[in-house]
Amino acid sequence: MSATNGHTPTPTGPVLVTGCSSGIGAATADLLVKAGHTVYATARRTGTVDELEAAGARVLPLDVTSEQSRVDAVGAIEAEHGRVGALVNNAGYGEYGTIEETDLDKVRKMFETNVFGLSRLTQLVLPAMRAAGAGRIVNIGSMGGRFTWPVGGYYHATKYAVEAITDALRNEVRPFGIHVSLIEPGLIRTGFEDTAMGSDAASTDPDSPYAALLAASASATGNGYANPVLATGPESVARVVLKAVESGRPRSRYVVTPAARAMIAARTLGGDRVWDGIVRQQFKA
């Protein structure tokens, strides 16, 4: 196989990408196909990935919250290829609201996708990877796994969980020749921002003690994603995933966008007092 940037990629075997109906997943699957990889683009509704199939991806139905669906998808790839060469755990979404007011049933559902779906797919692909002595697992996390904005606490919690799982996994499977990388995107224009702003609006009760905060959060979200200095398109994440899949020595972490690196540094180096000051300024709290 030959990559679009002119070099020969490290052989990985077939690549399974979750959440390919739009955004980062769609861009990643498309770029991997262009780079010469055998790509299994998955989505709950396969009709949403017709363009990827036309571009050369193989399509599988996959609901990451369904055990039967997970087993069937991994089994189909292993039946043909012996193993999944690389798993890109991309499927995920955000449920936004204050800690006090957010419906915990919705939070549990988000954890099922963002954390448990990712974890179970990882469990399913690992035995064949270990037997082959090779494999790649690339988890799509977020800069939001390194710091927390108000109104996003439960979403951030899922991404903090992905950080912990990825860190543990990386050292557990290294002796078996399996590389694990975490991608930490900043603001990526994928439609995710519409979900975030919609969650804020839906939970805004004029009588809520958090009404002003929710309005400020929706405004800050909209302004952030509209700012070309802060936000970028999903192709920027896809290029980093390609590096993680192909590199002979992939990094443990890839932070995507300069703004994300700056915010992570501010949270890490500034401590609580500096970070709380940034939050008050951002939300006028």
Side-chain angles (χ1 to χ4, degrees):
M1 67 181 73
S2 59
T4 54
N5 54 9
H7 72 279
T8 301
T10 300
T12 60
V15 184
L16 168 59
V17 185
T18 69
C20 293
S21 60
S22 63
I24 291 171
T28 296
D30 183 63
L31 186 60
L32 287 166
V33 167
K34 287 183 170 69
H37 294 273
T38 299
V39 177
Y40 284 83
T42 68
R44 285 180 297 172
R45 298 180 299 277
T46 55
T48 61
V49 290
D50 286 344
E51 289 186 12
L52 291 173
E53 186 172 26
R58 304 190 187 188
V59 169
L60 283 176
L62 175 57
D63 177 352
V64 301
T65 68
S66 163
E67 177 67 2
Q68 191 61 57
S69 182
R70 294 181 297 231
V71 169
D72 287 347
V74 173
I77 298 171
E78 291 184 347
E80 183 170 351
H81 303 277
R83 69 184 175 102
V84 173
L87 169 64
V88 181
N89 279 310
N90 165 73
Y93 70 97
E95 190 67 55
Y96 283 77
T98 64
I99 299 301
E100 179 180 348
E101 294 179 320
T102 301
D103 184 339
L104 290 181
D105 285 336
K106 293 182 178 180
V107 173
R108 291 184 184 97
K109 185 176 179 181
M110 177 175 59
F111 267 84
E112 286 292 340
T113 296
N114 294 9
V115 179
F116 300 120
L118 172 151
S119 300
R120 183 59 181 141
L121 277 170
T122 299
Q123 290 179 335
L124 288 170
V125 303
L126 278 174
M129 286 184 177
R130 283 191 293 100
R136 302 288 171 101
I137 295 175
V138 180
N139 290 334
I140 307 299
S142 170
M143 65 176 181
R146 306 281 288 276
F147 60 80
T148 305
W149 293 119
V151 187
Y154 291 117
Y155 168 72
H156 286 275
T158 68
K159 294 305 182 180
Y160 270 67
V162 171
E163 294 268 339
I165 289 165
T166 305
D167 278 344
L169 178 68
R170 184 177 65 253
N171 288 296
E172 290 169 355
V173 301
R174 181 183 289 116
F176 304 109
I178 301 168
H179 295 283
V180 180
S181 296
L182 177 66
I183 314 296
E184 299 172 320
L187 298 180
I188 308 297
R189 290 185 291 271
T190 63
F192 180 95
E193 63 272 25
D194 296 331
T195 301
M197 294 173 68
S199 294
D200 290 349
S203 57
T204 300
D205 179 338
D207 297 324
S208 168
Y210 302 101
L213 175 63
L214 291 165
S217 175
S219 176
T221 300
N223 292 337
Y225 279 101
N227 188 330
V229 176
L230 298 178
T232 186
E235 297 78 13
S236 60
V237 182
R239 288 192 291 270
V240 175
V241 174
L242 181 65
K243 289 180 183 179
V245 168
E246 292 187 349
S247 174
R249 297 183 65 185
R251 298 180 191 173
S252 59
R253 272 177 174 75
Y254 296 84
V255 180
V256 184
T257 78
R261 285 190 285 272
M263 283 189 277
I264 289 170
R267 181 65 185 100
T268 303
L269 301 176
D272 291 344
R273 186 164 297 178
V274 169
W275 183 253
D276 288 353
I278 292 171
V279 169
R280 284 194 297 272
Q281 178 63 31
Q282 182 77 10
F283 292 87
K284 300 294 188 281

